[in-house]
């Protein structure tokens, strides 16, 4: 109450009613060591209802993670360690950035899946509960989390995957910003989770007619969750939001705003506290809470024995664990990358699939799959088992619980949040595929991956009108620049098969940000000169220079349109116009280069420029300048064979030539011939 009052804004109600549950979890149930927040053997805690950030901050303070009372006083202020919603990498003990509702549940599911995959990599033969890699993922969720559609996607998959290492404590307080949730929510949430295949337990602190915080009943439910290893557990905890505030408890007013001085004072009187004092934490209270540090260190010491025994018995796996945990790639791994013969014709989605299969033996940390589009996205590594309970494997996809190929079902948004959870858990590298147009369905998760600087990889295929007959509903037009607008996301659109292999290399070498590969459905020619991984990693490079080394016009292309730029150069050169072609697979990588390099690729003196990309032209003016031309698509596509679409919409070499001449004309280079009066 004091923290929100001082900040003048915040969400006190849920933090008040969940305080006993959070304290119980951190003091008695959660396996953690406050003196080492990154202890590998720890349980993970995800506060999906991130608006109730004080639920977490107060436990981090009481448990001894390094937060002080002054940090709680600085809630939601500039430069503080206690921002309005928890931020990963900003505050010790925060496992993920939460706030957008439902995302945290998805992250928790991803963490649980990652824990199982990692156990399979490092200690597959240990009996259940005996491995140093056995731990729980705990998640607090609110009605808002449960209402968001993403919660259905990830919870259904968690039940299907039988993630017995996952427990969600659902704060059922029947209140949201618009007051009583009855106005919009009436389904039986417990039955919903039973239908998903979860163990469902209910703890009702209102059942006697009086409000009784029965911590023992909740503790027993949490212990039952830990004991259940074949199903995730959903604990429905009935609370009263804002209890015991005498006038504002059980109202929407206490959900997202300060109580006000009078209500704070009245609540303190109910609790037997001095209403005139703020931020009072008696020394004996803090000392009692900090006893959890010893508990954590004892748990850690016990775990260390098991861990060291494992390392001694499994030196090769221990070496693999160390490498993956540090996100270091093995020496010479890139020698496994395939190369493609110039002159052949290969779809970049197919080339990507061949890259994945080639990397499978050398990068066991790389794993992933698709939102039910494996054949279209080419995301299945050849010969690798699916990640699935044995009883759910199919003839087409044999597998086991420790498998590698992920099947997200038609759940793009859930896939995005799960990928984030996998990346957060430790060092494995997840990828997920769908059509580029459906990146819209997962955009909130992609944005959070960028915000958290997570090395998640998206395989987005069918990247333009080039997918053809499926028509405008499936043809991305605005998506490339809409995704490039997300700070910290690398959008990579390779020109051909060799650029695709080089793009995968560059993406895997980055461990501090997500990347999306935009890949073609249609075959594209494999061009000479696209296989230099260092050039591709720079984001833009000279693919074909002017015949005299002094270009009069520069054509910039991405993806399937690079071939048009190359064809146009041939025509322009035959007409005596020295022309350079620049392939720019990744705008973000190119922007990151120093000015000197960028000038060698795009000489400032050459004002005549053309950019060609089968999408909206939104951001290309930055690269072509005022005299430049952009050949793109400012409208939706249509259903027809892709060659017809490119021709009818003017995405042809002849149109690139015309655009180049138009740009030259703007620079004054277009001279007429004098023939008389």
């Amino acid at each position: 109450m004091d923290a929100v009052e001082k900040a003048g804004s915040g969400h006190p109600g849920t933090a008040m009613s969940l305080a006993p549950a959070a304290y119980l979890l951190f003091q008695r149930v959660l396996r953690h060591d406050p003196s080492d927040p990154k202890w590998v053997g720890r349980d993970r805690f995800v506060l999906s209802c991130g608006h109730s950030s004080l639920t977490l901050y107060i436990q981090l303070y009481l448990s001894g993670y390094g937060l002080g009372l002054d940090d709680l006083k600085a809630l939601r202020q500039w430069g503080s360690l206690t921002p309005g919603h928890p931020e990963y990498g900003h505050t010790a003990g925060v496992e993920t950035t939460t706030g957008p509702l439902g995302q945290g549940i998805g992250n928790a599911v991803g963490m649980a899946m990652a824990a199982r995959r990692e156990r399979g990599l490092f200690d597959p033969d240990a009996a259940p509960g005996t491995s140093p890699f056995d731990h729980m993922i705990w998640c607090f969720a609110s009605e808002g989390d449960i209402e968001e559609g993403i919660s259905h996607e990830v919870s259904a998959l968690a039940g299907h995957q039988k993630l017995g290492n996952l427990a969600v404590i659902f704060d059922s307080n029947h209140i949201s910003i618009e007051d009583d949730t009855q106005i919009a929510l009436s389904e039986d949430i417990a039955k919903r989770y039973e239908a998903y295949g979860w163990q469902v337990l209910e703890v009702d602190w209102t059942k006697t007619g009086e409000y009784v915080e029965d911590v023992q009943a909740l503790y027993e439910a949490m212990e039952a969750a830990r004991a259940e290893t074949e199903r995730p557990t959903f604990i429905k905890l009935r609370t009263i939001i804002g209890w015991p505030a005498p006038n504002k408890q059980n109202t929407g007013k206490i959900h997202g705003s300060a109580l006000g001085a009078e209500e704070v004072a009245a609540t303190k009187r109910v609790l037997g506290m001095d209403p005139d004092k703020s931020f009072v934490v008696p020394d004996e209270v803090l000392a009692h809470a900090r006893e959890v540090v010893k508990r954590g260190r004892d748990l850690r010491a016990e775990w260390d024995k098991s861990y060291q025994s494992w390392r001694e018995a499994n030196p090769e796996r221990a070496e693999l664990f160390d490498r993956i945990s540090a996100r270091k790639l093995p020496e010479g791994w890139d020698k496994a990358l395939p190369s493609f013969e110039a002159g052949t014709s290969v779809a970049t989605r197919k080339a990507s699939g061949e890259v994945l299969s080639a990397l499978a033996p050398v990068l066991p940390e790389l794993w992933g799959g698709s939102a039910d589009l494996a054949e279209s996205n080419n995301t299945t590594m050849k010969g690798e088992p699916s990640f699935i309970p044995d009883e759910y494997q199919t003839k087409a996809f044999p597998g086991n619980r420790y498998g590698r190929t992920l099947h997200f079902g038609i759940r793009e948004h859930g896939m995005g949040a799960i990928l984030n959870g996998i990346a957060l858990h430790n060092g494995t590298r997840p990828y997920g595929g769908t059509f580029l147009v459906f990146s819209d369905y997962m955009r909130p998760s992609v944005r959070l991956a960028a915000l958290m600087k997570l090395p998640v990889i998206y395989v987005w295929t069918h990247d333009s009108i080039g997918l053809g007959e499926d028509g405008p509903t499936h043809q991305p037009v605005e998506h490339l620049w809409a995704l490039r607008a997300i700070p910290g996301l690398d959008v990579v659109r390779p020109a051909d098969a060799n650029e695709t292999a080089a793009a995968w290399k560059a993406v895997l070498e980055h461990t501090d940000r997500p990347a999306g590969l935009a890949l073609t459905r249609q075959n594209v020619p494999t061009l000479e000169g696209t296989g230099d991984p260092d050039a591709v990693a720079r984001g833009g490079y000279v693919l074909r220079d002017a015949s005299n080394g002094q270009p009069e016009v520069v054509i910039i292309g991405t993806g399937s349109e690079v071939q048009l730029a190359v064809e146009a150069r041939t025509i322009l050169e035959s007409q005596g116009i020295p022309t350079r072609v620049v392939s720019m697979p990744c705008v973000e990588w190119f922007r990151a280069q120093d000015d000197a390099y960028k000038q060698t690729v795009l000489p400032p003196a050459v004002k005549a420029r053309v950019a060609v990309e089968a999408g909206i032209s939104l951001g290309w003016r930055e690269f072509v300048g005022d005299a430049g031309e952009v050949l793109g698509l400012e409208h939706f596509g249509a259903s027809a064979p892709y060659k017809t679409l490119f021709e009818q919409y003017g995405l042809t070499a002849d149109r690139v030539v015309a655009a180049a001449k138009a740009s030259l004309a703007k620079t004054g280079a277009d001279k007429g011939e004098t023939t008389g009066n």
Side-chain angles (χ1 to χ4, degrees):
M1 290 188 299
D2 289 341
V4 175
E5 205 67 27
K6 188 173 189 301
S9 67
H11 296 76
T14 300
M16 293 167 71
S17 49
L18 272 183
Y23 188 72
L24 169 66
L25 182 70
F26 273 74
Q27 291 286 316
R28 295 285 181 265
V29 180
L30 193 71
R31 289 202 331 176
H32 65 125
D33 179 1
S35 64
D36 183 5
K38 291 296 185 182
W39 168 34
V40 172
R42 72 191 184 280
D43 287 350
R44 308 302 201 265
F45 172 67
V46 175
L47 182 71
S48 193
C49 42
H51 58 272
S52 185
S53 56
L54 283 164
T55 295
L56 177 54
Y57 295 150
I58 289 169
Q59 297 313 315
L60 295 179
Y61 161 60
L62 291 175
S63 300
Y65 275 82
L67 284 186
L69 206 52
D70 285 343
D71 294 308
L72 298 181
K73 292 177 182 178
L75 178 73
R76 300 168 74 93
Q77 302 309 303
W78 174 262
S80 79
L81 293 175
T82 49
H85 294 85
E87 295 178 20
Y88 173 73
H90 183 75
T91 310
V94 173
E95 300 278 9
T96 179
T97 297
T98 53
L101 292 170
Q103 287 284 339
I105 299 179
N107 295 165
V109 172
M111 290 177 184
M113 291 169 69
R116 196 167 86 193
R117 168 68 180 161
E118 289 165 25
R119 191 192 201 277
L121 283 174
F122 307 130
D123 200 16
D125 302 321
T130 65
S131 171
F133 301 101
D134 288 334
H135 57 264
M136 289 285 291
I137 315 297
W138 298 92
C139 175
F140 278 11
S142 64
E143 266 124 347
D145 293 288
I146 298 302
E147 287 181 67
E148 286 286 0
I150 189 174
S151 73
H152 160 67
E153 296 184 26
V154 301
S155 299
L157 189 59
H160 184 69
Q161 286 287 353
K162 300 190 173 183
L163 299 175
N165 56 347
L166 171 65
V168 171
I169 292 89
F170 165 52
D171 178 32
S172 176
N173 61 45
H174 299 189
I175 294 292
S176 62
I177 291 176
E178 294 183 6
D179 204 69
D180 194 327
T181 55
Q182 181 175 304
I183 201 70
L185 177 67
S186 57
E187 76 259 26
D188 190 324
I189 295 166
K191 282 191 168 59
R192 178 178 144 195
Y193 273 80
E194 284 177 7
Y196 292 148
W198 291 52
Q199 172 182 226
V200 176
L201 306 171
E202 297 196 42
V203 178
D204 186 353
W205 286 350
T206 68
K207 66 181 180 182
T208 64
E210 299 289 326
Y211 192 62
V212 179
E213 293 174 326
D214 189 344
V215 176
Q216 181 63 29
L218 180 57
Y219 175 72
E220 290 169 2
M222 288 178 174
E223 288 298 295
R226 192 184 290 280
E228 173 57 70
T229 59
E230 289 299 309
R231 294 177 293 170
T233 295
F234 185 81
I235 300 173
K236 181 183 177 185
L237 175 64
R238 177 68 171 102
T239 65
I240 292 178
I241 191 171
W243 188 87
N247 302 303
K248 290 190 176 181
Q249 64 175 273
N250 207 29
T251 69
K253 298 298 182 188
I254 206 166
H255 170 88
S257 58
L259 281 76
E262 288 186 16
E263 186 73 355
V264 169
T267 307
K268 287 179 178 177
R269 290 189 190 96
V270 170
L271 291 167
M273 301 172 72
D274 187 338
D276 297 322
K277 293 182 179 178
S278 297
F279 293 99
V280 175
V281 183
D283 291 343
E284 62 270 24
V285 169
L286 191 58
H288 177 76
R290 292 277 166 88
E291 288 174 11
V292 76
V293 175
K294 182 181 183 305
R295 171 181 168 268
R297 291 174 72 86
D298 289 346
L299 284 170
R300 172 69 184 273
E302 182 182 341
W303 178 87
D304 275 339
K305 293 176 187 175
S306 168
Y307 176 64
Q308 291 304 324
S309 297
W310 167 79
R311 291 189 70 92
E312 290 167 11
N314 300 275
E316 288 186 7
R317 284 176 176 158
E319 187 178 340
L320 178 65
F321 170 78
D322 292 343
R323 183 182 68 72
I324 289 177
S325 298
R327 287 207 170 105
K328 288 183 179 176
L329 295 164
E331 193 73 31
W333 71 276
D334 53 328
K335 290 183 175 63
L337 288 167
S339 61
F340 301 84
E341 187 178 345
T344 57
S345 189
V346 183
T348 54
R349 62 167 175 163
K350 184 175 186 296
S352 173
E354 292 190 29
V355 169
L356 284 170
S357 291
L359 292 179
V362 295
L363 296 182
E365 64 265 42
L366 184 62
W367 63 310
S370 175
D372 199 58
L373 290 167
E375 284 190 20
S376 296
N377 298 148
N378 294 102
T379 49
T380 304
M381 295 172 171
K382 289 174 185 170
E384 293 294 328
S386 291
F387 180 90
I388 193 73
D390 296 41
E391 57 270 38
Y392 291 149
Q393 63 183 313
T394 65
K395 183 177 180 181
F397 289 102
N400 57 71
R401 289 172 183 245
Y402 295 149
R404 188 172 194 173
T405 300
L406 290 168
H407 302 274
F408 294 99
I410 305 163
R411 304 180 178 104
E412 284 90 353
H413 197 185
M415 175 175 70
I418 288 169
L419 292 171
N420 289 349
I422 291 171
L424 285 160
H425 187 265
N426 204 25
T428 65
R429 295 295 298 271
Y431 64 86
T434 186
F435 293 168
L436 179 58
V437 75
F438 299 132
S439 63
D440 282 345
Y441 279 2
M442 57 193 302
R443 188 181 180 90
S445 300
V446 174
R447 183 178 186 273
L448 282 168
L451 186 62
M452 289 188 273
K453 301 179 180 179
L454 302 178
V456 174
I457 303 167
Y458 310 106
V459 181
W460 287 320
T461 70
H462 297 57
D463 69 339
S464 74
I465 58 168
L467 69 88
E469 293 85 348
D470 276 344
T473 61
H474 283 53
Q475 292 168 359
V477 176
E478 73 277 26
H479 297 72
L480 288 167
W481 277 109
L483 289 163
R484 287 171 182 146
I486 298 176
L489 172 68
D490 295 338
V491 179
V492 193
R493 190 170 185 244
D496 67 1
N498 284 324
E499 260 197 19
T500 302
W504 265 106
K505 179 178 185 293
V507 165
L508 286 165
E509 287 174 341
H510 294 153
T511 60
D512 61 347
R513 55 195 185 273
L517 293 161
L519 306 172
T520 68
R521 178 199 187 201
Q522 77 275 25
N523 287 346
V524 291
T526 305
L527 305 167
E528 290 280 359
T530 55
D532 182 351
D534 293 331
V536 173
R538 288 179 176 269
Y541 64 99
V542 179
L543 177 62
R544 299 279 188 278
D545 206 356
S547 54
N548 64 357
Q550 296 293 311
E552 292 180 13
V553 62
V554 175
I555 304 173
I556 306 166
T558 79
S560 54
E561 289 71 71
V562 172
Q563 63 179 303
L564 302 181
V566 171
E567 291 172 26
R569 175 192 172 274
T570 301
I571 298 169
L572 289 163
E573 287 276 353
S574 72
Q575 297 174 0
I577 303 173
T579 304
R580 170 180 290 182
V581 172
V582 170
S583 178
M584 193 174 287
C586 183
V587 167
E588 294 78 20
W589 296 346
F590 186 70
R591 284 187 183 133
Q593 303 307 306
D594 60 42
D595 288 342
Y597 176 78
K598 287 186 278 190
Q599 289 166 24
T600 64
V601 176
L602 300 175
V606 182
K607 304 296 185 185
R609 299 179 184 181
V610 177
V612 54
E613 184 174 69
I616 62 170
S617 61
L618 186 66
W620 284 115
R621 187 60 56 188
E622 172 189 348
F623 300 99
V624 301
D626 292 340
E629 293 285 326
V630 182
L631 195 59
L633 208 65
E634 303 298 332
H635 52 78
F636 296 119
S639 176
Y642 79 90
K643 290 182 180 178
T644 300
L645 293 173
F646 274 84
E647 181 181 79
Q648 292 300 315
Y649 291 144
L651 290 165
T652 64
D654 288 339
R655 282 292 300 278
V656 177
V657 169
K661 291 180 177 179
S663 184
L664 281 164
K666 288 182 184 177
T667 68
D670 191 13
K671 305 289 186 185
E673 295 180 11
T674 302
T675 59
N677 290 336

